[in-house]
Amino acid sequence: MTSLYHKFKPAISNYAQIVGKNVEIDAFSTIEDYVRIESTDNVRSHISIGFRSKIKQGTILNSYDGLIKIGNRVTIGPYCFIGGHGGVTIGDCTMTAGQCYISAANHISTKGEMIRFQGEKAEGIFIGRSVWLGANVIVLDGVSIGDGCIIGAGSVVTMDMPPNTICYGLPCKPIKERPK
């Protein structure tokens, strides 16, 4: 953060676990009880949490040799999971409710070989600024969610969502524009 805030540290619970060297947490951020933040020592692996962001109880952030970039003033609700295989970027002022699952990887499945040995693809996930993910939302690899988007509780996001729309469903679809 700017030099004005460099002396202020984040509030990290004694019951949180931070594993790996490639983790940055900006000033005034809060990491609650039983949060696990894990970054490997691989040079591609990195987790950054912006200024005044809050990671609530029981959440897991795991870079899996990828990048997780959480912007400023973001709140990640309790018991969420973010897997950064292909990279996850979450814009400023975004909120997630509890138990959201955001995974920037997906298994490959083709005929003729055991699924376990077919590998995975990791394209990445982009979540814009001022987005709200309701409870139990699942965001799958390769998806972009536009600025100002609201994703309804229980939705499974399998394709890009346009900015400033209210979206929900299985699979998630844009339903209407947000009121101005």
Side-chain angles (χ1 to χ4, degrees):
M1 202 67 218
T2 65
S3 60
L4 175 64
Y5 298 110
H6 78 280
K7 65 183 177 183
F8 296 100
K9 297 187 181 205
I12 301 173
S13 166
N14 289 334
Y15 298 104
Q17 292 181 319
I18 299 175
V19 178
K21 299 175 187 172
N22 300 324
V23 176
E24 292 179 46
I25 304 170
D26 274 350
F28 301 108
S29 290
T30 302
I31 309 299
E32 291 187 354
D33 292 346
Y34 312 112
V35 168
R36 181 173 173 87
I37 300 171
E38 185 171 349
S39 176
T40 66
D41 291 333
N42 185 313
V43 293
R44 295 177 303 168
S45 177
H46 189 81
I47 297 174
S48 66
I49 299 170
F51 176 78
R52 284 196 189 272
S53 289
K54 182 176 272 191
I55 311 299
K56 295 203 163 212
Q57 181 173 332
T59 290
I60 297 171
L61 308 177
N62 195 326
S63 70
Y64 293 109
D65 288 339
L67 169 72
I68 297 174
K69 184 176 191 290
I70 296 173
N72 299 321
R73 297 179 182 266
V74 170
T75 299
I76 303 296
Y79 303 100
C80 291
F81 171 82
I82 300 175
H85 300 77
V88 174
T89 300
I90 300 175
D92 296 344
C93 301
T94 287
M95 304 181 302
T96 76
Q99 299 183 342
C100 290
Y101 184 89
I102 300 167
S103 180
N106 200 356
H107 289 278
I108 298 168
S109 79
T110 56
K111 189 175 179 181
E113 188 172 346
M114 301 292 255
I115 291 174
R116 174 71 181 97
F117 304 112
Q118 292 183 21
E120 58 186 30
K121 66 180 183 79
E123 297 174 5
I125 293 171
F126 176 82
I127 299 172
R129 296 170 42 97
S130 191
V131 170
W132 176 15
L133 301 182
N136 298 301
V137 167
I138 297 171
V139 181
L140 298 180
D141 187 39
V143 166
S144 180
I145 299 174
D147 293 347
C149 197
I150 297 172
I151 307 292
S155 296
V156 178
V157 185
T158 61
M159 62 185 181
D160 293 352
M161 295 295 125
N164 299 309
T165 55
I166 297 172
C167 310
Y168 54 85
L170 297 167
C172 188
K173 295 179 184 164
I175 304 301
K176 63 182 177 180
E177 283 192 37
R178 283 182 57 194
K180 304 250 187 243

